[in-house]
């Protein structure tokens, strides 16, 4: 099941034969999803569940309507709480957010937001930050950043919502994760492109600049509140970017070899440039 969609996509069959095979695959997607679900969510070994998630990821890459896959994707969200299945569940959700037709799936987008701002995810996030668990932080950063980059237009228009503000808070804290990129962590680098895209979108959607005083019209007042939230978010972000662009203490710096020092200089320049764009 895992190999079939990959092989069909890469096959060199002549036109008519390939179209026929693709048609048969599409007709049988409900059967495929049902079979994957039966292995994934009935009592089974972790190994079988991991293979089922890999199989599901393969079919999402092949392409099918996410509406057909809602039930199984909802269940995949619950697996984010399973330590053994967390990374594979993240891979499936990342793949689902990168479908070409993602804009059609607003219901799925809303469910993802609910999942990412749930108490269970908050608890997992707080624990990984407190324990400086880089691996978990890296996966959460990829998950939240991909959501941010996929649904930026939606996010900037909803910044005044408490759940959206919490999502932004998590991404900010991941941008300021402990350690130095690329020496002992890579978490802080992951969200940088999202912050740049979001900044551009805030101006494109006329959320920024914020009006001098709160307007009376409901729609404009909401934009005003979103703009105020954006100013708070980016003020905190700039402080983090400035801190990230600094070199470590002399004793730490001297403990690194020349290659590590050179990499750090390059990263410091990039983060300073990113900070400059946000300041602008």
């Amino acid at each position: 099941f895992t190999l079939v969609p990959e092989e069909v996509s890469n096959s060199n069959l002549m036109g008519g034969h390939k179209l026929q095979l693709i048609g048969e695959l599409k007709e049988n997607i409900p059967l495929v999803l049902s079979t994957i679900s039966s292995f994934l969510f009935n009592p089974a070994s972790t190994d079988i569940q991991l293979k089922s998630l890999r199989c599901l990821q393969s079919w999402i890459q092949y392409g099918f309507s996410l509406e057909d896959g809602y039930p199984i994707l909802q269940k995949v969200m619950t697996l984010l709480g399973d330590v053994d299945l967390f990374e594979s569940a993240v891979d499936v959700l990342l793949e689902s957010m990168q479908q070409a037709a993602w804009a059609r799936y607003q219901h799925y987008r809303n469910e993802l937001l609910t999942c990412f701002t749930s108490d269970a995810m908050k608890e997992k996030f707080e624990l990984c930050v407190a324990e400086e668990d880089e691996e978990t932080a890296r996966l959460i950063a990829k998950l939240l950043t991909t959501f941010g980059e996929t649904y930026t237009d939606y996010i900037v228009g909803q910044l005044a919502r408490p759940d959206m503000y919490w999502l932004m808070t998590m991404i900010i804290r991941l941008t300021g994760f402990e350690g130095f990129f690329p020496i002992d962590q890579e978490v802080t680098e992951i969200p940088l492109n999202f912050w740049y895209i979001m900044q551009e979108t805030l101006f494109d959607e006329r959320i920024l600049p914020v009006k001098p005083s709160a307007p009376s019209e409901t729609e404009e007042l909401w934009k005003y509140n979103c703009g105020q939230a954006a100013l708070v978010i980016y003020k905190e972000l700039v402080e983090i970017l400035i801190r990230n662009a600094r070199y470590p203490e002399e004793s730490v710096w001297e403990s690194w070899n020349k290659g590590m020092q050179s990499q750090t200089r390059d990263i410091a320049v990039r983060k300073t440039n990113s900070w400059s764009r946000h300041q602008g």
Side-chain angles (χ1 to χ4, degrees):
F1 268 13
T2 302
L3 292 176
V4 165
E6 298 173 0
E7 291 299 319
V8 169
S9 298
N10 298 325
S11 66
N12 293 318
L13 295 172
M14 299 300 290
H17 293 292
K18 186 164 185 176
L19 288 175
Q20 181 183 359
L21 189 55
I22 289 173
E24 290 179 4
L25 255 64
K26 288 186 176 179
E27 287 179 9
N28 285 283
I29 283 175
L31 175 61
V32 170
L33 294 178
S34 175
T35 305
I36 294 173
S37 184
S38 67
F39 281 114
L40 187 56
F41 300 110
N42 290 332
S45 68
T46 299
D47 184 54
I48 293 295
Q49 290 178 300
L50 288 169
K51 288 179 178 179
S52 299
L53 286 168
R54 174 67 188 89
C55 183
L56 177 59
Q57 183 182 356
S58 178
W59 280 88
I60 293 174
Q61 287 171 338
Y62 173 72
F64 62 82
S65 171
L66 290 186
E67 293 169 350
D68 297 333
Y70 276 165
I72 192 170
L73 288 169
Q74 287 172 322
K75 291 180 180 178
V76 170
M77 292 181 207
T78 68
L79 298 180
L80 293 174
D82 188 309
V83 174
D84 295 325
L85 302 177
F86 177 65
E87 183 170 3
S88 294
V90 167
D91 288 340
V92 169
L93 296 179
L94 288 175
E95 199 68 55
S96 72
M97 286 186 278
Q98 296 175 64
Q99 271 212 353
W102 56 265
R104 287 176 19 208
Y105 307 118
Q106 296 182 12
H107 177 67
Y108 183 54
R109 174 202 67 198
N110 295 341
E111 295 222 2
L112 286 170
L113 178 61
T114 299
C115 171
F116 297 161
T117 56
S118 65
D119 290 340
M121 182 60 79
K122 290 177 184 178
E123 184 178 345
K124 193 176 194 71
F125 170 79
E126 293 291 357
L127 185 62
C128 85
V129 171
E131 295 181 349
E132 297 183 20
D133 177 357
E134 182 191 345
E135 182 58 25
T136 301
R138 182 182 62 82
L139 291 169
I140 294 177
K142 288 175 67 176
L143 201 60
L144 302 187
T145 298
T146 300
F147 181 86
E149 291 177 348
T150 303
Y151 300 109
T152 316
D153 290 354
Y154 173 69
I155 287 172
V156 300
Q158 303 295 324
L159 282 178
R161 284 172 45 174
D163 57 347
M164 195 65 75
Y165 194 80
W166 171 248
L167 182 77
M168 295 298 100
T169 299
M170 285 194 288
I171 300 178
I172 282 178
R173 291 173 64 186
L174 290 166
T175 310
F177 195 76
E178 290 297 321
F180 296 96
F181 183 94
I183 306 305
D184 54 9
Q185 60 98 337
E186 60 179 72
V187 178
T188 57
E189 185 81 352
I190 295 171
L192 291 185
N193 189 58
F194 162 67
W195 291 122
Y196 179 69
I197 294 171
M198 181 174 162
Q199 174 194 259
E200 296 293 301
T201 308
L202 283 164
F203 284 96
D204 291 343
E205 297 296 320
R206 301 186 184 279
I207 304 297
L208 294 178
V210 180
K211 294 182 178 180
S213 58
S216 56
E217 301 87 351
T218 303
E219 183 176 345
E220 290 301 313
L221 178 60
W222 179 257
K223 279 190 173 183
Y224 174 84
N225 290 336
C226 289
Q228 292 289 356
L231 292 178
V232 173
I233 289 168
Y234 274 85
K235 180 179 184 298
E236 186 174 352
L237 175 63
V238 168
E239 292 174 355
I240 287 173
L241 292 175
I242 292 173
R243 188 179 73 227
N244 285 357
R246 292 173 181 162
Y247 292 109
E249 296 176 357
E250 192 66 23
S251 59
V252 175
W253 178 257
E254 291 299 328
S255 70
W256 296 347
N257 61 42
K258 292 187 182 298
M260 294 164 67
Q261 291 177 354
S262 177
Q263 280 186 296
T264 303
R265 288 192 187 96
D266 292 342
I267 295 299
V269 169
R270 281 164 53 194
K271 291 192 175 182
T272 300
N273 290 340
S274 181
W275 164 75
S276 298
R277 289 198 299 265
H278 292 306
Q279 273 291 90

